[in-house]
Amino acid sequence: MIFITVKFAVRPELSAQWLDIVHDFTEATRAEPGNLFYEWSRSVDDPDEYVLVEGFRDGEAGQAHVESAHFREAMEKLSHAVAARPKIISVDLPDRDGWDLMGELAPRES
């Protein structure tokens, strides 16, 4: 699995619209056969920062993603909405196909 986390510094005047701006790109990416998850969160410390957590089946799926037409279109569109170059962590996690369950915490009856 290719696991990627990206921090996007969004122009303040566009931060409230960010999820609308990335909506079509998000849906197209989620529809890719090799996509495992593609999830956005907004920073609790900085309202102009969004964090993307994404997973792809393998390097081939990740490559297909960055070579897709919707990726190229999104990079052009998003370049007008970001305030700085995004920060990224991308790692290959062999023999993984998604999320594990956390062993240290589980819900309890009240």
Side-chain angles (χ1 to χ4, degrees):
M1 176 177 77
I2 304 299
F3 181 81
I4 303 166
T5 304
V6 187
K7 287 186 173 188
F8 292 83
V10 178
R11 295 177 193 262
E13 66 274 16
L14 296 174
S15 63
Q17 302 165 34
W18 181 255
L19 294 178
D20 292 330
I21 293 168
V22 298
H23 179 267
D24 291 345
F25 178 50
T26 298
E27 293 305 312
T29 301
R30 288 176 175 168
E32 292 174 18
N35 180 257
L36 301 173
F37 50 88
Y38 198 83
E39 302 173 10
W40 290 98
S41 297
R42 194 171 194 176
S43 171
V44 296
D45 296 321
D46 181 352
D48 299 326
E49 181 178 79
Y50 283 83
V51 179
L52 174 62
V53 178
E54 54 188 311
F56 294 91
R57 181 186 62 245
D58 52 26
E60 187 176 295
Q63 184 173 352
H65 170 64
V66 299
E67 292 177 353
S68 69
H70 60 266
F71 184 89
R72 286 190 305 277
E73 291 168 11
M75 294 307 100
E76 170 60 26
K77 182 178 181 180
L78 299 183
S79 70
H80 300 283
V82 295
R85 186 177 293 269
K87 298 175 185 176
I88 186 169
I89 297 172
S90 178
V91 294
D92 186 357
L93 301 171
D95 303 321
R96 302 279 308 222
D97 60 0
W99 295 92
D100 286 335
L101 296 178
M102 183 177 172
E104 297 83 3
L105 180 65
R108 283 191 195 180
E109 295 294 323
S110 297

Coordinates of all heavy atoms in Angstrom, one line a residue, residues 5-96:
T5 N 0.2 11.4 3.1 CA -0.5 12.4 3.9 C 0.1 13.8 3.3 O 1.3 13.9 3.1 CB -0.2 12.3 5.4 OG1 -0.6 11.1 5.8 CG2 -0.9 13.4 6.2
V6 N -0.9 14.7 3.0 CA -0.5 16.0 2.4 C -1.1 17.1 3.2 O -2.3 17.0 3.5 CB -0.9 16.1 1.0 CG1 -0.4 17.4 0.3 CG2 -0.5 14.9 0.1
K7 N -0.4 18.1 3.6 CA -0.9 19.3 4.2 C -1.0 20.4 3.2 O 0.0 20.7 2.6 CB 0.0 19.7 5.4 CG -0.1 18.9 6.6 CD 0.7 19.5 7.7 CE 0.5 18.7 9.0 NZ 1.1 19.4 10.2
F8 N -2.2 21.0 3.0 CA -2.4 22.1 2.1 C -2.6 23.4 2.8 O -3.6 23.5 3.6 CB -3.7 21.8 1.3 CG -3.5 20.6 0.3 CD1 -3.7 19.3 0.7 CD2 -3.2 20.8 -1.0 CE1 -3.5 18.2 -0.1 CE2 -3.1 19.8 -1.9 CZ -3.2 18.5 -1.5
A9 N -1.8 24.3 2.6 CA -2.0 25.7 3.1 C -2.9 26.4 2.1 O -2.4 26.6 0.9 CB -0.7 26.4 3.3
V10 N -4.1 26.7 2.4 CA -5.1 27.3 1.5 C -5.2 28.8 1.7 O -5.1 29.3 2.8 CB -6.5 26.6 1.7 CG1 -7.5 27.2 0.8 CG2 -6.4 25.1 1.6
R11 N -5.3 29.5 0.5 CA -5.5 30.9 0.6 C -6.7 31.2 1.6 O -7.8 30.6 1.4 CB -5.7 31.5 -0.8 CG -4.6 31.4 -1.7 CD -4.9 31.9 -3.1 NE -3.9 31.5 -4.0 CZ -2.9 32.2 -4.5 NH1 -2.8 33.4 -4.0 NH2 -2.1 31.7 -5.4
P12 N -6.5 32.1 2.5 CA -7.5 32.4 3.5 C -8.9 32.7 2.9 O -9.9 32.3 3.4 CB -7.0 33.6 4.3 CG -5.5 33.5 4.2 CD -5.3 32.9 2.8
E13 N -8.9 33.4 1.8 CA -10.2 33.8 1.2 C -10.9 32.6 0.5 O -12.1 32.7 0.2 CB -10.0 35.0 0.2 CG -9.2 34.6 -1.0 CD -7.7 34.8 -0.9 OE1 -7.2 34.9 0.3 OE2 -7.0 34.8 -1.9
L14 N -10.2 31.5 0.4 CA -10.8 30.3 -0.2 C -10.9 29.1 0.7 O -11.5 28.1 0.3 CB -9.9 29.9 -1.4 CG -9.9 30.9 -2.6 CD1 -8.9 30.4 -3.7 CD2 -11.2 31.1 -3.2
S15 N -10.4 29.3 1.9 CA -10.4 28.1 2.8 C -11.8 27.6 3.2 O -12.0 26.4 3.3 CB -9.6 28.4 4.1 OG -10.2 29.4 4.9
A16 N -12.8 28.4 3.3 CA -14.2 28.0 3.6 C -14.7 27.2 2.4 O -15.7 26.4 2.5 CB -15.1 29.2 3.9
Q17 N -14.2 27.4 1.2 CA -14.7 26.8 0.0 C -13.9 25.5 -0.5 O -14.2 24.9 -1.5 CB -14.7 27.8 -1.2 CG -15.5 29.0 -1.0 CD -15.1 30.1 -2.0 OE1 -14.8 29.8 -3.1 NE2 -15.1 31.3 -1.6
W18 N -12.8 25.2 0.3 CA -11.9 24.2 -0.1 C -12.5 22.9 -0.5 O -12.2 22.3 -1.5 CB -10.8 24.0 0.9 CG -9.8 23.0 0.5 CD1 -9.6 21.7 1.0 CD2 -8.7 23.2 -0.4 NE1 -8.6 21.1 0.4 CE2 -8.0 22.0 -0.5 CE3 -8.3 24.2 -1.3 CZ2 -6.9 21.8 -1.3 CZ3 -7.2 24.0 -2.1 CH2 -6.6 22.8 -2.1
L19 N -13.4 22.4 0.3 CA -14.0 21.1 0.1 C -14.9 21.1 -1.2 O -14.9 20.1 -1.9 CB -14.8 20.6 1.3 CG -14.0 20.2 2.5 CD1 -14.8 19.8 3.6 CD2 -12.9 19.2 2.2
D20 N -15.4 22.3 -1.5 CA -16.2 22.4 -2.8 C -15.2 22.4 -4.0 O -15.4 21.9 -5.0 CB -17.0 23.7 -2.8 CG -18.2 23.6 -1.8 OD1 -18.7 22.5 -1.6 OD2 -18.6 24.7 -1.3
I21 N -14.1 23.1 -3.8 CA -13.0 23.2 -4.8 C -12.5 21.9 -5.2 O -12.2 21.6 -6.3 CB -11.9 24.2 -4.3 CG1 -12.4 25.6 -4.2 CG2 -10.7 24.1 -5.3 CD1 -11.5 26.6 -3.5
V22 N -12.3 21.0 -4.2 CA -11.6 19.7 -4.4 C -12.7 18.6 -4.6 O -12.3 17.4 -4.8 CB -10.7 19.3 -3.3 CG1 -9.5 20.3 -3.2 CG2 -11.4 19.1 -1.9
H23 N -13.9 18.9 -4.6 CA -15.0 17.9 -4.6 C -14.9 16.9 -5.8 O -14.9 15.7 -5.7 CB -16.4 18.5 -4.6 CG -17.5 17.5 -4.7 ND1 -18.1 17.1 -5.9 CD2 -18.1 16.8 -3.7 CE1 -19.0 16.2 -5.6 NE2 -19.0 16.0 -4.3
D24 N -14.8 17.5 -7.0 CA -14.8 16.6 -8.2 C -13.5 15.8 -8.3 O -13.6 14.6 -8.6 CB -14.9 17.5 -9.5 CG -16.2 18.1 -9.7 OD1 -17.2 17.7 -9.0 OD2 -16.3 19.1 -10.5
F25 N -12.4 16.4 -7.9 CA -11.1 15.6 -7.8 C -11.2 14.5 -6.8 O -10.8 13.4 -7.1 CB -10.0 16.6 -7.5 CG -8.7 16.0 -7.4 CD1 -8.2 15.1 -8.4 CD2 -7.9 16.2 -6.3 CE1 -6.9 14.5 -8.2 CE2 -6.6 15.7 -6.2 CZ -6.1 14.8 -7.1
T26 N -11.8 14.8 -5.7 CA -11.9 13.8 -4.6 C -12.8 12.6 -5.1 O -12.4 11.5 -5.0 CB -12.6 14.4 -3.4 OG1 -11.7 15.4 -2.9 CG2 -12.8 13.4 -2.3
E27 N -13.9 12.9 -5.7 CA -14.8 11.9 -6.2 C -14.1 11.0 -7.3 O -14.3 9.8 -7.4 CB -16.1 12.4 -6.7 CG -17.0 13.0 -5.6 CD -17.2 12.1 -4.4 OE1 -17.6 10.9 -4.7 OE2 -17.0 12.5 -3.2
A28 N -13.4 11.7 -8.2 CA -12.7 11.0 -9.3 C -11.6 10.1 -8.7 O -11.5 8.9 -9.2 CB -12.2 12.0 -10.3
T29 N -10.9 10.6 -7.7 CA -9.9 9.8 -7.1 C -10.5 8.6 -6.4 O -9.9 7.4 -6.5 CB -9.0 10.6 -6.2 OG1 -8.4 11.7 -6.9 CG2 -7.9 9.8 -5.5
R30 N -11.5 8.8 -5.6 CA -12.1 7.7 -4.9 C -12.7 6.6 -5.9 O -12.8 5.4 -5.5 CB -13.3 8.2 -4.0 CG -12.8 9.0 -2.8 CD -13.9 9.6 -2.0 NE -13.4 10.2 -0.8 CZ -14.2 11.0 -0.1 NH1 -15.4 11.3 -0.4 NH2 -13.6 11.6 1.0
A31 N -13.0 7.0 -7.1 CA -13.5 6.0 -8.1 C -12.4 5.2 -8.8 O -12.7 4.3 -9.5 CB -14.3 6.8 -9.1
E32 N -11.1 5.6 -8.6 CA -10.0 4.9 -9.2 C -10.0 3.5 -8.6 O -10.1 3.3 -7.4 CB -8.7 5.6 -8.9 CG -8.6 6.9 -9.6 CD -7.3 7.6 -9.2 OE1 -6.3 7.0 -8.6 OE2 -7.2 8.9 -9.4
P33 N -9.7 2.5 -9.5 CA -9.7 1.1 -9.0 C -8.7 0.8 -7.9 O -8.9 -0.1 -7.1 CB -9.5 0.2 -10.3 CG -9.2 1.2 -11.4 CD -9.5 2.6 -10.9
G34 N -7.6 1.5 -7.9 CA -6.5 1.2 -7.0 C -6.6 2.1 -5.7 O -5.7 2.0 -4.8
N35 N -7.6 3.0 -5.6 CA -7.7 3.8 -4.4 C -8.3 3.1 -3.3 O -9.4 2.4 -3.4 CB -8.5 5.1 -4.7 CG -8.6 6.0 -3.5 OD1 -9.7 6.0 -2.9 ND2 -7.6 6.7 -3.2
L36 N -7.7 3.1 -2.1 CA -8.2 2.5 -0.9 C -9.0 3.4 -0.1 O -10.0 3.1 0.5 CB -7.1 1.8 -0.1 CG -6.3 0.8 -0.8 CD1 -5.1 0.4 0.0 CD2 -7.1 -0.4 -1.2
F37 N -8.5 4.7 0.1 CA -9.2 5.7 0.8 C -8.6 7.1 0.4 O -7.5 7.2 -0.1 CB -9.1 5.5 2.3 CG -7.7 5.3 2.8 CD1 -6.9 6.3 3.2 CD2 -7.3 4.0 3.0 CE1 -5.6 6.1 3.7 CE2 -6.0 3.7 3.5 CZ -5.1 4.8 3.8
Y38 N -9.4 8.1 0.6 CA -9.1 9.5 0.2 C -9.9 10.4 1.1 O -11.1 10.6 0.8 CB -9.4 9.7 -1.3 CG -8.7 10.8 -1.9 CD1 -7.4 10.7 -2.4 CD2 -9.3 12.1 -2.1 CE1 -6.7 11.8 -3.0 CE2 -8.7 13.1 -2.7 CZ -7.4 13.0 -3.1 OH -6.7 14.0 -3.7
E39 N -9.3 10.9 2.1 CA -10.1 11.6 3.2 C -9.5 12.9 3.5 O -8.3 13.0 3.8 CB -10.1 10.7 4.4 CG -10.7 9.3 4.2 CD -10.6 8.4 5.4 OE1 -10.3 8.8 6.5 OE2 -10.9 7.2 5.2
W40 N -10.3 13.9 3.6 CA -9.9 15.3 3.9 C -10.3 15.6 5.4 O -11.3 15.2 5.9 CB -10.7 16.3 3.1 CG -10.2 16.3 1.7 CD1 -10.8 15.7 0.6 CD2 -9.1 17.0 1.1 NE1 -10.1 15.9 -0.6 CE2 -9.1 16.7 -0.3 CE3 -8.1 17.7 1.7 CZ2 -8.1 17.2 -1.1 CZ3 -7.1 18.2 0.8 CH2 -7.1 18.0 -0.5
S41 N -9.4 16.4 6.0 CA -9.7 16.9 7.4 C -9.2 18.4 7.4 O -8.3 18.7 6.7 CB -9.0 16.1 8.5 OG -9.4 14.8 8.5
R42 N -9.9 19.2 8.2 CA -9.4 20.5 8.4 C -8.7 20.6 9.7 O -9.1 20.1 10.8 CB -10.6 21.5 8.5 CG -10.3 22.9 8.3 CD -11.5 23.8 8.1 NE -11.2 25.1 7.7 CZ -12.1 26.0 7.4 NH1 -13.4 25.7 7.5 NH2 -11.8 27.2 6.9
S43 N -7.5 21.3 9.7 CA -6.7 21.5 10.9 C -7.5 22.1 12.0 O -8.3 23.1 11.8 CB -5.5 22.3 10.6 OG -4.8 22.6 11.8
V44 N -7.4 21.7 13.3 CA -8.0 22.3 14.4 C -7.2 23.5 14.9 O -7.7 24.3 15.7 CB -8.3 21.3 15.6 CG1 -9.2 20.2 15.2 CG2 -7.0 20.7 16.1
D45 N -5.9 23.6 14.4 CA -5.1 24.7 14.9 C -5.0 25.8 13.8 O -4.7 27.0 14.2 CB -3.7 24.2 15.1 CG -3.6 23.2 16.2 OD1 -4.3 23.4 17.3 OD2 -2.9 22.2 16.1
D46 N -5.3 25.5 12.6 CA -5.2 26.5 11.5 C -6.3 26.3 10.5 O -6.3 25.4 9.8 CB -3.8 26.3 10.8 CG -3.6 27.3 9.7 OD1 -4.5 28.1 9.3 OD2 -2.5 27.4 9.1
P47 N -7.3 27.2 10.5 CA -8.5 27.1 9.7 C -8.2 27.2 8.2 O -9.0 26.8 7.4 CB -9.4 28.2 10.1 CG -8.5 29.2 10.7 CD -7.3 28.5 11.3
D48 N -6.9 27.6 7.8 CA -6.6 27.6 6.4 C -5.7 26.5 6.0 O -5.1 26.5 4.9 CB -5.8 29.0 6.2 CG -6.7 30.2 6.5 OD1 -7.9 30.1 6.3 OD2 -6.1 31.2 6.9
E49 N -5.7 25.4 6.8 CA -4.9 24.2 6.5 C -5.8 23.0 6.5 O -6.6 22.8 7.4 CB -3.8 24.0 7.5 CG -2.9 22.8 7.2 CD -1.8 22.6 8.2 OE1 -2.1 22.0 9.3 OE2 -0.7 22.9 7.9
Y50 N -5.7 22.3 5.4 CA -6.4 21.0 5.2 C -5.4 19.9 5.1 O -4.3 20.1 4.5 CB -7.3 21.0 4.0 CG -8.6 21.8 4.2 CD1 -8.6 23.2 4.0 CD2 -9.7 21.2 4.5 CE1 -9.7 23.9 4.2 CE2 -10.9 21.9 4.7 CZ -10.9 23.3 4.6 OH -12.0 24.0 4.8
V51 N -5.8 18.7 5.6 CA -4.9 17.6 5.6 C -5.6 16.4 4.8 O -6.8 16.1 5.1 CB -4.6 17.1 7.0 CG1 -3.7 15.8 7.0 CG2 -3.9 18.2 7.8
L52 N -4.9 15.9 3.9 CA -5.4 14.8 3.0 C -4.7 13.5 3.4 O -3.5 13.5 3.5 CB -5.2 15.1 1.6 CG -5.5 14.0 0.6 CD1 -7.0 13.7 0.6 CD2 -5.1 14.4 -0.8
V53 N -5.5 12.5 3.7 CA -4.9 11.2 4.0 C -5.4 10.2 2.9 O -6.6 10.1 2.7 CB -5.3 10.6 5.4 CG1 -4.8 9.2 5.6 CG2 -4.9 11.6 6.5
E54 N -4.5 9.6 2.2 CA -4.9 8.8 1.0 C -4.1 7.5 1.0 O -2.9 7.5 1.5 CB -4.7 9.6 -0.3 CG -3.3 10.2 -0.5 CD -3.3 11.1 -1.7 OE1 -3.8 10.7 -2.8 OE2 -2.8 12.2 -1.6
G55 N -4.7 6.5 0.4 CA -4.0 5.2 0.3 C -4.3 4.6 -1.1 O -5.5 4.7 -1.6
F56 N -3.3 4.0 -1.7 CA -3.4 3.3 -2.9 C -2.9 1.9 -2.8 O -2.0 1.7 -2.0 CB -2.7 4.1 -4.0 CG -3.3 5.5 -4.3 CD1 -2.8 6.6 -3.6 CD2 -4.3 5.6 -5.2 CE1 -3.4 7.8 -3.9 CE2 -4.9 6.8 -5.5 CZ -4.4 7.9 -4.8
R57 N -3.5 1.0 -3.5 CA -3.2 -0.4 -3.4 C -1.7 -0.7 -3.5 O -1.2 -1.5 -2.8 CB -4.0 -1.1 -4.5 CG -3.8 -2.7 -4.6 CD -4.5 -3.3 -5.8 NE -3.9 -2.8 -7.0 CZ -4.5 -2.1 -7.9 NH1 -5.8 -1.8 -7.8 NH2 -3.9 -1.7 -9.0
D58 N -1.0 0.0 -4.5 CA 0.4 -0.3 -4.7 C 1.0 0.9 -5.5 O 0.2 1.8 -5.9 CB 0.6 -1.6 -5.4 CG -0.2 -1.8 -6.7 OD1 -0.6 -0.8 -7.3 OD2 -0.5 -2.9 -7.0
G59 N 2.2 0.8 -5.8 CA 2.9 1.8 -6.6 C 2.3 2.1 -8.0 O 2.2 3.2 -8.4
E60 N 1.8 1.0 -8.6 CA 1.2 1.1 -9.9 C -0.1 1.9 -9.8 O -0.4 2.7 -10.7 CB 0.9 -0.3 -10.4 CG 0.4 -0.4 -11.8 CD 0.2 -1.8 -12.3 OE1 1.2 -2.5 -12.4 OE2 -1.0 -2.2 -12.6
A61 N -0.9 1.7 -8.8 CA -2.1 2.5 -8.6 C -1.8 3.9 -8.3 O -2.5 4.8 -8.7 CB -2.9 1.9 -7.5
G62 N -0.7 4.1 -7.5 CA -0.3 5.5 -7.2 C 0.1 6.2 -8.5 O -0.2 7.4 -8.7
Q63 N 0.9 5.5 -9.3 CA 1.3 6.1 -10.6 C 0.2 6.4 -11.5 O 0.1 7.5 -12.1 CB 2.3 5.2 -11.2 CG 2.9 5.8 -12.5 CD 4.0 4.9 -13.1 OE1 4.4 3.9 -12.5 NE2 4.4 5.2 -14.3
A64 N -0.8 5.5 -11.6 CA -2.0 5.7 -12.4 C -2.7 7.0 -11.9 O -3.2 7.8 -12.7 CB -2.9 4.5 -12.4
H65 N -2.7 7.2 -10.6 CA -3.4 8.4 -10.0 C -2.7 9.7 -10.5 O -3.4 10.6 -11.0 CB -3.4 8.3 -8.5 CG -3.8 9.5 -7.8 ND1 -5.1 10.0 -7.9 CD2 -3.1 10.4 -7.0 CE1 -5.2 11.1 -7.2 NE2 -4.0 11.4 -6.7
V66 N -1.4 9.7 -10.4 CA -0.7 11.0 -10.7 C -0.6 11.2 -12.2 O -0.4 12.3 -12.7 CB 0.7 11.1 -10.1 CG1 0.6 11.1 -8.6 CG2 1.6 10.1 -10.5
E67 N -0.9 10.2 -13.0 CA -0.9 10.3 -14.5 C -2.3 10.5 -15.0 O -2.4 10.6 -16.2 CB -0.2 9.1 -15.1 CG 1.3 9.0 -14.8 CD 1.9 7.7 -15.3 OE1 1.2 6.8 -15.9 OE2 3.2 7.6 -15.3
S68 N -3.3 10.5 -14.2 CA -4.7 10.6 -14.7 C -5.0 12.1 -15.1 O -4.4 13.0 -14.6 CB -5.6 10.2 -13.5 OG -5.6 11.2 -12.5
A69 N -5.9 12.2 -16.0 CA -6.4 13.5 -16.4 C -6.9 14.3 -15.3 O -6.7 15.5 -15.2 CB -7.4 13.3 -17.5
H70 N -7.7 13.7 -14.4 CA -8.3 14.5 -13.3 C -7.2 15.0 -12.3 O -7.4 16.0 -11.7 CB -9.4 13.7 -12.6 CG -9.0 12.4 -11.9 ND1 -9.1 11.2 -12.6 CD2 -8.5 12.1 -10.7 CE1 -8.7 10.2 -11.8 NE2 -8.3 10.7 -10.7
F71 N -6.1 14.3 -12.2 CA -5.0 14.7 -11.4 C -4.4 16.0 -12.0 O -4.2 17.0 -11.3 CB -3.9 13.6 -11.2 CG -2.8 14.0 -10.2 CD1 -2.9 13.8 -8.9 CD2 -1.7 14.6 -10.7 CE1 -1.9 14.2 -8.0 CE2 -0.6 15.0 -9.9 CZ -0.8 14.8 -8.5
R72 N -4.1 15.9 -13.3 CA -3.5 17.1 -14.0 C -4.4 18.3 -13.9 O -3.9 19.4 -13.6 CB -3.2 16.7 -15.4 CG -1.9 15.8 -15.6 CD -1.5 15.6 -17.0 NE -2.6 15.2 -17.9 CZ -2.9 13.9 -18.1 NH1 -2.3 13.0 -17.4 NH2 -3.9 13.6 -18.9
E73 N -5.7 18.1 -14.1 CA -6.6 19.2 -14.1 C -6.7 19.8 -12.7 O -6.7 21.0 -12.5 CB -8.0 18.7 -14.5 CG -8.1 18.3 -15.9 CD -9.4 17.6 -16.3 OE1 -10.3 17.5 -15.4 OE2 -9.5 17.1 -17.4
A74 N -6.7 18.9 -11.7 CA -6.7 19.4 -10.3 C -5.5 20.2 -9.9 O -5.6 21.2 -9.2 CB -6.9 18.2 -9.3
M75 N -4.3 19.7 -10.3 CA -3.1 20.5 -10.0 C -3.1 21.9 -10.6 O -2.7 22.8 -9.9 CB -1.8 19.7 -10.5 CG -1.6 18.4 -9.8 SD -1.6 18.4 -8.0 CE -3.2 17.9 -7.6
E76 N -3.7 22.0 -11.8 CA -3.8 23.4 -12.3 C -4.8 24.2 -11.5 O -4.6 25.3 -11.1 CB -4.3 23.3 -13.8 CG -4.7 24.6 -14.4 CD -3.6 25.6 -14.4 OE1 -2.4 25.3 -14.4 OE2 -3.9 26.8 -14.4
K77 N -6.0 23.6 -11.2 CA -7.0 24.3 -10.5 C -6.6 24.7 -9.1 O -6.8 25.8 -8.6 CB -8.3 23.4 -10.5 CG -9.5 24.1 -9.8 CD -10.7 23.1 -9.8 CE -11.9 23.7 -9.2 NZ -13.1 22.8 -9.2
L78 N -6.0 23.7 -8.4 CA -5.6 23.9 -7.0 C -4.4 24.9 -6.9 O -4.2 25.6 -5.8 CB -5.2 22.6 -6.3 CG -6.3 21.6 -6.3 CD1 -5.9 20.3 -5.5 CD2 -7.6 22.2 -5.7
S79 N -3.6 25.1 -7.9 CA -2.5 26.0 -7.9 C -3.0 27.4 -7.6 O -2.2 28.3 -7.1 CB -1.6 25.9 -9.1 OG -2.3 26.5 -10.2
H80 N -4.2 27.7 -8.0 CA -4.8 29.0 -7.8 C -5.4 29.2 -6.4 O -5.8 30.3 -6.0 CB -5.8 29.3 -8.8 CG -5.3 29.3 -10.2 ND1 -4.5 30.3 -10.7 CD2 -5.3 28.3 -11.2 CE1 -4.1 30.0 -12.0 NE2 -4.6 28.8 -12.2
A81 N -5.5 28.1 -5.6 CA -6.2 28.1 -4.3 C -5.2 27.9 -3.2 O -5.6 28.2 -2.0 CB -7.3 27.0 -4.3
V82 N -4.0 27.4 -3.4 CA -3.1 27.1 -2.3 C -2.3 28.4 -2.1 O -2.0 29.2 -3.0 CB -2.2 25.9 -2.6 CG1 -3.0 24.6 -2.6 CG2 -1.3 26.1 -3.8
A83 N -1.9 28.5 -0.8 CA -1.0 29.7 -0.4 C 0.5 29.3 -0.4 O 1.3 30.2 -0.4 CB -1.5 30.1 1.0
A84 N 0.8 28.1 -0.4 CA 2.2 27.6 -0.4 C 2.2 26.2 -1.0 O 1.2 25.5 -1.2 CB 2.7 27.6 1.0
R85 N 3.4 25.8 -1.3 CA 3.6 24.4 -1.8 C 3.2 23.4 -0.7 O 3.6 23.5 0.4 CB 5.0 24.2 -2.2 CG 5.3 22.8 -2.9 CD 6.7 22.7 -3.4 NE 7.1 23.7 -4.4 CZ 7.0 23.4 -5.7 NH1 6.5 22.2 -6.1 NH2 7.3 24.3 -6.6
P86 N 2.3 22.4 -1.0 CA 1.9 21.5 0.0 C 3.1 20.6 0.5 O 4.1 20.4 -0.2 CB 0.9 20.6 -0.8 CG 0.4 21.5 -1.8 CD 1.6 22.3 -2.3
K87 N 2.9 20.2 1.8 CA 3.9 19.3 2.4 C 3.4 17.9 2.3 O 2.2 17.7 2.6 CB 4.1 19.7 3.9 CG 4.6 21.1 4.0 CD 4.7 21.5 5.5 CE 5.1 22.9 5.7 NZ 5.1 23.3 7.1
I88 N 4.3 16.9 2.0 CA 3.8 15.6 1.8 C 4.7 14.6 2.5 O 5.9 14.8 2.6 CB 3.7 15.3 0.2 CG1 3.1 13.9 -0.1 CG2 5.1 15.4 -0.4 CD1 2.8 13.7 -1.5
I89 N 4.1 13.5 2.9 CA 4.8 12.3 3.4 C 4.2 11.1 2.5 O 2.9 11.0 2.5 CB 4.6 12.0 4.9 CG1 5.2 13.1 5.7 CG2 5.2 10.7 5.2 CD1 4.9 13.0 7.2
S90 N 5.0 10.4 1.9 CA 4.5 9.3 1.0 C 5.4 8.1 1.3 O 6.7 8.2 1.2 CB 4.6 9.6 -0.4 OG 4.2 8.6 -1.2
V91 N 4.8 7.0 1.8 CA 5.6 5.8 2.1 C 4.9 4.5 1.5 O 3.7 4.5 1.4 CB 5.8 5.6 3.7 CG1 6.6 6.7 4.2 CG2 4.4 5.5 4.4
D92 N 5.8 3.6 1.2 CA 5.3 2.3 0.7 C 5.2 1.4 1.9 O 6.2 1.1 2.6 CB 6.3 1.8 -0.3 CG 5.8 0.5 -1.0 OD1 4.7 0.0 -0.6 OD2 6.5 0.0 -1.9
L93 N 4.0 0.8 2.2 CA 3.9 -0.1 3.3 C 3.5 -1.5 2.7 O 2.4 -1.7 2.4 CB 2.7 0.4 4.2 CG 2.9 1.8 4.8 CD1 1.7 2.2 5.5 CD2 4.1 1.7 5.8
P94 N 4.5 -2.3 2.5 CA 4.3 -3.6 1.9 C 3.3 -4.5 2.7 O 3.2 -4.3 3.9 CB 5.7 -4.3 1.8 CG 6.6 -3.3 2.4 CD 5.9 -2.1 2.9
D95 N 2.6 -5.3 2.0 CA 1.7 -6.3 2.6 C 0.6 -5.6 3.4 O 0.2 -6.2 4.5 CB 2.5 -7.3 3.5 CG 3.5 -8.0 2.7 OD1 3.3 -8.4 1.6 OD2 4.6 -8.2 3.2
R96 N 0.1 -4.5 3.0 CA -1.0 -3.8 3.7 C -2.1 -3.5 2.7 O -1.8 -3.3 1.5 CB -0.5 -2.4 4.3 CG 0.6 -2.5 5.2 CD 0.1 -2.8 6.6 NE -0.9 -1.9 6.9 CZ -1.1 -1.4 8.1 NH1 -0.3 -1.6 9.0 NH2 -2.1 -0.6 8.3

